[in-house]
Amino acid sequence: MNIRKIEHLGIAVRSAAEAEKLYAEALGLSVVARETLDEMKLRVVKVASGETVLELLEPLEGETVIRKFLAERGPGIHHICFEVDDVAAATEELKRKGYSTVWEEPHLGAGGRRVNFLRPKECGGVLIELNEPARGVTS
Ligand code: CO
């Protein structure tokens, strides 16, 4: 498996618009995307610092994962995402090494990227996401 870089950090927020004031207005990072992910029921604002993106994740009605995180721990860093060449191949390799993934097959995440997650309880409390560049899109 080839880890290309830390592609993004996911940050759980109660309001993406409020968080944008800090990261874009106060810190001066550029907003690279504002998306609503229907499948994952998330509002996502992405701000960039160099090659690394921060994903500000606001749960919408019916979303459970970020909502639970916010309820239990409050807003804050939620996950770290490594970019790999091929998520499916990377997860197969990690399974052979004794780790398990949240989903059997990669799901479509922000920016049309295929993603999967390792389990925090197997990774020292860190939620690790793996993603790959969207097919046919250069990043
Ligand atoms: Co993410």
Side-chain angles (χ1 to χ4, degrees), residues 3 81-82 84 87 90-91 94 114-116 128-131:
I3 301 282
C81 178
F82 295 111
V84 297
V87 171
T91 54
L94 285 158
R114 297 202 308 155
V115 308
N116 210 335
I128 293 177
E129 176 181 1
L130 301 170
N131 77 11

Side-chain angles (χ1 to χ4, degrees), residues 71-91:
E72 290 176 357
R73 301 166 66 160
I77 294 177
H78 178 260
H79 65 269
I80 178 169
C81 178
F82 295 111
E83 183 180 282
V84 297
D85 297 329
D86 182 330
V87 171
T91 54

Side-chain angles (χ1 to χ4, degrees), residues 8 10 55 57 79 81 117 129:
H8 67 264
E55 263 183 5
L57 304 165
H79 65 269
C81 178
F117 291 88
E129 176 181 1

